[in-house]
Amino acid sequence: MPQQIAVVTGAGTGVGRAVALELAAAGWQLALAGRRAEPLHETAALAGVPAAVIPTDVTDPAAVAALFAEVADRYGRLDLLFNNAGSFGAAVPLEDLSYQDWRAVLDLNVTGAFLCAQAAFRQLKEQRPQGGRIINNGSISAHVPRPQSIAYTASKHAVTGLTKSLSLDGRPYRIACGQIDIGNAATDMTAAMGLGVRQADGRIAPEPTMDVADVARTVRHMAELPLEANIQFATVLATTMPYVGRG
């Protein structure tokens, strides 16, 4: 089987880094994208394999176009986009959320995901052999919100819409699209959960987390299915987090 090519956005930290390392260990070639070059180089070093490090602001259409042009020039094709770059934004009462903070979350989580998916879709459609896979990073918030998270929650519901439309529009071109919704993977971004986060009833309580490597293994499984099969939605969460049931 020829070596496969993956673009991972938000690859410098957290889930993106964990997925990049898992794919590298499985023999994938990688293009690592993110805002800052230094953590991307750290991910490449941890992976221990040659990787294209391409600093990219995914909210900038020109930067996204340059990312995928460089991937095409370097590798000649694309097999996977893990559309992962995103931000929680500020956890503040709804009435205090600024327009700028709202826009920042929507621009990154939705517009950035769209721009990367669109660029990947174009390449997957035009290359020969045709096709490939896009996996969007959703969230438990695509199902249920946390308090004081309206921008993030709205953005992740929008990502679900992107996933469904990509799946439909990709059918004629052997482009599969799925989504992984993650609950409480242990990363720097979720470190506060062990100390206590706001619950639906207003309490501040610690929440359990899970190893981010378990998320990465799930993404790899989704990525390595034949294009005739697709995991449309996968939910991976810490077993005892307050998600199923009432708290």
Side-chain angles (χ1 to χ4, degrees), residues 86-92 94 97 101-110 137-162 179 181-182 193 198 200 243:
S87 172
F88 285 136
V92 298
L94 186 152
L97 182 68
D101 286 344
W102 165 268
R103 279 296 305 271
V105 173
L106 271 291
D107 285 350
L108 179 56
N109 293 5
V110 182
N137 188 350
S139 172
I140 293 294
S141 292
H143 306 271
V144 291
R146 287 188 178 276
Q148 300 181 354
S149 68
I150 192 166
Y152 183 75
T153 298
S155 76
K156 292 305 184 178
H157 278 71
V159 169
T160 298
L162 287 175
Q179 178 171 316
D181 294 329
I182 301 166
M193 288 179 178
R198 190 174 300 278
Y243 169 66

Side-chain angles (χ1 to χ4, degrees), residues 49-168:
V49 297
V53 171
I54 310 172
T56 307
D57 177 357
V58 299
T59 68
D60 178 354
V64 172
L67 164 65
F68 285 89
E70 185 168 342
V71 171
D73 289 344
R74 177 165 179 153
Y75 296 114
R77 68 171 288 108
L78 175 65
D79 297 289
L80 171 69
L81 165 64
F82 181 46
N83 215 358
N84 167 70
S87 172
F88 285 136
V92 298
L94 186 152
E95 64 272 21
D96 296 330
L97 182 68
S98 71
Y99 173 74
Q100 291 77 13
D101 286 344
W102 165 268
R103 279 296 305 271
V105 173
L106 271 291
D107 285 350
L108 179 56
N109 293 5
V110 182
T111 303
F114 161 73
L115 290 172
C116 290
Q118 183 185 52
F121 193 99
R122 287 171 175 154
Q123 186 167 340
L124 296 170
K125 179 181 176 181
E126 295 302 321
Q127 67 190 10
R128 295 294 181 271
Q130 190 179 61
R133 193 179 305 272
I134 298 169
I135 300 174
N136 292 326
N137 188 350
S139 172
I140 293 294
S141 292
H143 306 271
V144 291
R146 287 188 178 276
Q148 300 181 354
S149 68
I150 192 166
Y152 183 75
T153 298
S155 76
K156 292 305 184 178
H157 278 71
V159 169
T160 298
L162 287 175
T163 299
K164 291 178 178 181
S165 284
L166 286 164
S167 292
L168 180 59

Side-chain angles (χ1 to χ4, degrees), residues 5-18:
I5 313 303
V7 171
V8 179
T9 68
T13 58
V15 170
R17 173 175 285 181

